[in-house]
């Protein structure tokens, strides 16, 4: 759950930043009234959001609304036309060392002859200049890579060329790569994309487990909220006019979603209090069966 | 150069190395092989073979132009290859990155380079033998000074590559994440094209402009078939390239055909053999090694 000591995290809405709020733990990410213009087109404007340490937040919204752009803006990969973004209290691009980033739909070419282990290792020290000389530092790095590979359960295939692995296997290794530098924030852009249902559930559980046990905050862009619904502290819904944020229970309502997606959407509630979204564009009806466990 | 071949290979080599020209050829060939194998490894990984091929071809107008103006051929190679690297880098980052657009641009540079080369050749009358050498390579005319220049440039290129190698690998395999980690991928793109230009200019002087490609592509591509570990792969690539050049020089010494032909044939033979062998082993399901 959100640990931000705010009276009502639930009703925080776009751009509404409470000034000088006495917070024990400063926000990891603070976006205030931000606007991004790409190729002469305004992608979104007037967006505001905050992410507190340890929070598991989903970023939702229709295709092309600028979810990926939002992550890139926080990382400083895309410039802001207006407004401000702070990452760990610093301007974008200056605190990326504490962020693990998994960009959208990154599948490696089948002919790429680099092992999964090497790709994970690059996330650890790939930005260092100079040759990786053998020594204590190199041994520590190799040990960390093994630990990460075990953490995501990729021990069976991490030594194979990454181009030959399946989408799900690649995705797990990329999550390991994103975790390499013990980040305080994970930014995952559609990590469940192209995974089958058991793998979606497995990877979602893995991410949430990492979020809880390592105290890492997670910003996850998702097309289909169902596989992660039960783990979410908060969702940020992105629309052309700005963002709406709140607990899943508040934002994932028929009225809000219908407005955001522009198609009729129903939201059902299961007996254990979970939400099931039906009729979301591109979400097959199968998804209603996703949370059967009543225990 | 054509010596008399005996089956006593050691004696043959001793015989061959009695000539300064052959010693220079072996020195130059080794330098060029090491350089091409390492720079080419990154080129193959980055799928920039087309750019590499073009940079190699640009060496031809460079050398032909230098002959026409009465300047040093080595200078011609380096000037044109490095300038072309900058042109390609500028055109790449100017537009949004797209492979098809990029290859159209590079293809244009390539056609222009060949045309200019032929223009210089026809401006400088009586150049016919020289043209074949520029295109298909020669190893008899290499001077000690040329070897020094080759070695100097190679040291600089390899030093730069050693410094940027790891971030370059990161940016090549995984551009977005590398950029998020603060790797200046655009700058590295340009720096790498310059290194590629320098390597192509060096290799052109042995294999000829048309066949540089064999040294830049085949040993790294073969090495990447052999192993997926970057360190080992680079080592295999170097070993193979040196072997290819030595075999080619050895055979070339006893045969009347251009050295470029032997380099290409040996390198291609190694590649074909390796892909047959690794293809066979890979089709057998392997158990996961720990
Ligand atoms: N470099 C660019 N130049 C111009 N427009 C761009 C650029 N990058 C993205 N856009 C545009 O910005 C908009 C938002 O793109 P973005 O990738 O952030 O959307 P998204 O919400 O992540 O979509 P999806 O759900 O399909 O991943 C799109 O309309 C896209 O066309
Ligand atoms: Mg996206």
């Amino acid at each position: 759950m959100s640990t931000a000591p705010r009276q009502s995290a639930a009703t925080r809405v776009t751009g509404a930043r409470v000034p000088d709020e006495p917070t024990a733990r400063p926000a990891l990410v603070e976006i205030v009234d931000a606007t991004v213009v790409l190729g002469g087109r305004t992608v979104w404007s007037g967006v505001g959001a905050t992410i507190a340490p340890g929070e598991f937040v989903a970023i939702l919204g229709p295709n092309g609304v600028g979810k990926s752009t939002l992550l890139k803006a926080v990382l400083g990969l895309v410039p802001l036309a207006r407004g401000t973004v702070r990452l760990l209290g610093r301007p974008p691009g200056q605190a990326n060392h504490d962020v693990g980033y998994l960009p959208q739909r990154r599948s490696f070419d089948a002919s790429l002859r680099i092992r999964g282990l090497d790709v994970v290792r690059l996330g650890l020290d790939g930005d260092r200049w100079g040759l990786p000389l053998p020594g204590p530092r190199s041994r520590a790095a190799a040990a960390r890579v093994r630990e990460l590979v075990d953490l995501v359960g990729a021990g069976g295939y991490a030594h194979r060329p990454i181009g030959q692995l399946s989408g799900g296997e690649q995705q797990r290794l990329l999550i390991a790569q994103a975790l390499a530098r013990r980040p305080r924030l994970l930014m995952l852009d559609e990590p469940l994309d192209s995974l089958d249902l058991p793998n979606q559930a497995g990877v979602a559980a893995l991410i949430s487990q990492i979020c809880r046990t390592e105290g890492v905050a997670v910003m996850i862009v998702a097309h289909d909220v169902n596989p992660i619904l039960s783990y979410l502290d908060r969702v940020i819904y992105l629309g052309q006019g700005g963002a709406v944020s709140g607990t899943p229970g508040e934002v994932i309502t028929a009225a809000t979603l219908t407005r955001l997606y522009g198609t009729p959407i129903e939201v059902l509630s299961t007996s254990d209090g979970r939400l099931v979204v039906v009729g979301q564009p591109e979400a097959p009806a199968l998804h209603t069966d996703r949370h059967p466990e009543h225990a | 150069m054509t010596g008399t071949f005996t089956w006593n290979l050691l004696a043959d080599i001793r015989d061959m190395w009695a000539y300064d020209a052959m010693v220079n050829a072996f020195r130059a060939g080794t330098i060029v092989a090491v350089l091409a194998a390492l720079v080419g490894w990154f080129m193959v990984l980055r799928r920039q073979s087309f750019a590499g091929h073009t940079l190699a071809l640009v060496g031809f107008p460079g050398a032909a132009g230098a002959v026409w103006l009465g300047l040093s051929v080595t200078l011609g190679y380096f000037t044109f290859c490095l300038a072309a690297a900058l042109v390609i880098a500028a055109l790449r980052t100017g537009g949004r990155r797209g492979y098809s657009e990029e290859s159209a641009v590079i293809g244009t540079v390539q056609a222009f380079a060949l045309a200019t080369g032929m223009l210089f050749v026809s401006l400088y009358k009586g150049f016919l033998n020289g043209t074949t050498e520029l295109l298909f390579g020669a190893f008899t005319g290499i001077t000690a000074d040329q070897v020094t220049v080759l070695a100097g440039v190679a040291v600089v290129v390899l030093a730069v590559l050693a410094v940027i190698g790891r971030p370059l690998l990161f940016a090549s395999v995984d551009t977005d994440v590398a950029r998020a980690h603060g790797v200046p991928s655009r700058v590295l793109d340009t720096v790498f094209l310059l290194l590629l230009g320098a390597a192509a200019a060096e290799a052109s002087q042995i294999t000829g402009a048309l066949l540089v490609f064999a040294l830049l592509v085949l040993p790294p591509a073969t090495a990447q078939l052999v192993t997926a570990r970057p360190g080992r792969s680079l080592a295999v690539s170097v070993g193979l390239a040196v072997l290819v050049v030595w075999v080619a020089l050895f055979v070339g010494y006893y045969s009347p055909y251009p050295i470029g032909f032997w380099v290409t044939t040996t390198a291609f033979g190694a590649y074909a053999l390796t892909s047959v062998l690794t293809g066979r082993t890979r089709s057998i399901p392997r158990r996961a090694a720990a």
Side-chain angles (χ1 to χ4, degrees):
Chain A
M1 281 290 116
S2 165
T3 46
R6 297 182 179 179
Q7 300 93 331
S8 170
T11 47
R12 253 181 287 148
V13 166
T14 5
R17 176 177 162 223
V18 188
D20 301 319
E21 194 184 5
T23 46
R25 304 167 76 181
L28 283 180
V29 178
E30 217 167 7
I31 305 168
V32 183
D33 198 23
T35 299
V36 164
V37 178
L38 286 176
R41 233 186 91 242
T42 302
V43 179
W44 36 250
S45 59
V47 166
T50 48
I51 310 288
E55 250 189 328
F56 195 119
V57 180
I59 295 161
L60 309 173
N63 277 136
V65 77
K67 304 181 294 295
S68 303
T69 306
L70 182 69
L71 297 192
K72 288 181 192 160
V74 173
L75 287 166
L77 299 177
V78 155
L80 291 184
R82 262 197 316 284
T84 54
V85 167
R86 301 233 129 206
L87 176 59
L88 294 149
R90 299 169 70 180
Q94 292 190 8
N96 288 4
H97 202 276
D98 277 321
V99 180
Y101 176 45
L102 191 154
Q104 185 174 9
R105 230 167 276 131
R106 207 163 31 125
S107 57
F108 293 95
D109 191 277
S111 66
L112 181 64
R113 302 274 300 160
I114 294 289
R115 297 174 306 165
L117 287 171
D118 300 312
V119 172
V120 175
R121 171 78 185 257
L122 284 172
L124 189 63
D125 59 9
D127 57 336
R128 295 181 68 94
W129 305 99
L131 294 171
L133 298 172
R137 172 181 269 156
S138 182
R139 275 195 299 278
R144 174 76 182 137
V145 168
R146 273 194 300 278
E147 187 184 306
L148 287 161
V149 164
D150 289 342
L151 181 68
V152 299
Y157 47 80
H159 63 281
R160 283 171 47 198
I162 192 138
Q164 292 175 8
L165 301 179
S166 78
E169 291 166 341
Q170 292 189 10
Q171 209 64 280
R172 279 173 192 268
L173 285 165
L174 290 176
I175 290 172
Q177 185 203 48
L179 284 168
R181 301 194 290 187
R182 304 182 195 279
R184 293 168 62 190
L185 173 65
L186 265 185
M187 287 186 157
L188 310 173
D189 200 342
E190 308 213 5
L192 306 182
D193 198 63
S194 85
L195 302 188
D196 58 16
L197 293 186
N199 261 305
Q200 286 191 359
V203 171
L206 171 72
I207 295 167
S208 110
Q209 183 212 329
I210 290 162
C211 173
R212 316 270 159 213
T213 58
E214 319 231 329
V216 180
V218 177
M219 278 174 93
I220 180 170
V221 175
H223 230 90
D224 174 10
V225 71
N226 278 316
I228 50 171
L229 193 52
S230 56
Y231 308 116
L232 289 180
D233 293 323
R234 213 147 54 77
V235 301
I236 294 173
Y237 249 105
L238 208 55
Q240 256 83 28
V244 180
S245 106
T247 63
E250 285 162 346
V251 179
I252 307 179
T253 62
T256 320
L257 295 196
T258 301
R259 182 161 55 80
L260 279 159
Y261 277 103
T263 49
I265 284 173
E266 246 185 291
V267 179
L268 309 173
S269 192
T270 60
S271 56
D272 58 351
R274 289 176 184 179
L275 297 169
V276 178
V277 179
V278 191
Q280 196 178 352
E282 290 155 22
L286 255 182
H287 289 180
T288 46
D289 305 331
R290 189 68 56 71
H291 303 290
E293 71 276 11
H294 283 260
Chain B
M1 199 174 288
T2 322
T4 26
F5 180 72
T6 65
W7 279 103
N8 184 347
L9 295 183
L10 274 181
D12 287 340
I13 289 176
R14 220 178 302 124
D15 174 38
M16 206 160 46
W17 285 358
Y19 297 95
D20 276 352
M22 276 320 283
V23 174
N24 282 340
F26 270 85
R27 284 189 185 135
T30 309
I31 293 165
V32 162
V34 172
L35 188 65
L38 293 172
V39 176
W41 190 87
F42 283 94
M43 182 192 79
V44 169
L45 190 79
R46 294 167 62 84
R47 324 181 132 264
Q48 285 188 311
S49 300
F50 193 40
H53 186 44
T54 303
L55 289 173
L57 281 188
V58 167
F60 167 56
V67 171
W68 175 48
L69 294 173
L71 299 170
S72 134
V73 176
T74 308
L75 185 72
Y77 277 119
F78 283 115
T79 312
F80 267 61
C81 289
L82 293 178
L86 286 176
V87 169
I88 293 176
L91 294 172
R92 265 168 73 82
T93 42
R96 273 173 72 175
R97 289 212 309 177
Y99 188 75
S100 54
E101 190 193 317
E102 186 185 316
S103 16
V105 163
I106 295 175
T108 313
V109 172
Q110 189 177 107
F112 183 64
L114 274 179
T116 323
M118 286 321 288
L119 174 72
F120 289 150
V121 166
S122 44
L123 283 173
Y124 183 88
K125 314 264 189 278
F127 193 40
L128 240 51
N129 292 330
T131 311
T132 314
E133 284 189 359
L134 291 184
L135 289 176
F136 297 103
F139 60 95
T140 46
I142 295 165
T143 62
D145 285 350
Q146 212 176 340
V147 172
T148 313
V149 172
L150 289 176
V153 173
V155 165
V156 172
V157 170
L158 293 182
V160 173
L161 195 61
V163 172
I164 69 166
R166 201 168 8 166
L168 181 67
L169 177 66
F170 198 3
S172 309
V173 170
D174 208 349
T175 317
D176 290 337
V177 179
R179 284 185 62 210
H181 282 215
V183 173
S185 64
R186 301 251 162 79
V187 176
L188 289 184
D189 275 353
T190 305
V191 172
F192 181 69
L193 277 167
L194 285 171
L195 299 186
L196 191 55
E202 295 233 332
S204 293
Q205 301 178 37
I206 306 286
T207 62
L210 279 181
L211 302 176
V212 165
F213 207 47
L215 264 192
L216 272 176
V217 170
L218 288 171
T222 312
Q224 290 185 15
L225 285 181
V226 173
T227 170
R229 289 166 177 254
R232 288 188 193 176
S233 190
L234 282 161
V236 172
S237 178
V238 169
L240 213 59
V242 171
L243 188 72
V244 160
V245 167
W246 284 16
V247 169
L249 283 172
F250 186 83
V251 178
Y253 178 71
Y254 294 104
S255 88
Y257 308 112
I259 175 81
F261 170 75
W262 296 115
V263 170
T264 313
T265 309
T266 322
F268 180 72
Y271 178 79
L273 190 68
T274 310
S275 57
V276 168
L277 290 178
T278 54
R280 191 178 298 151
T281 48
R282 216 173 291 141
S283 62
I284 301 165
R286 276 185 298 181
R287 260 171 296 141

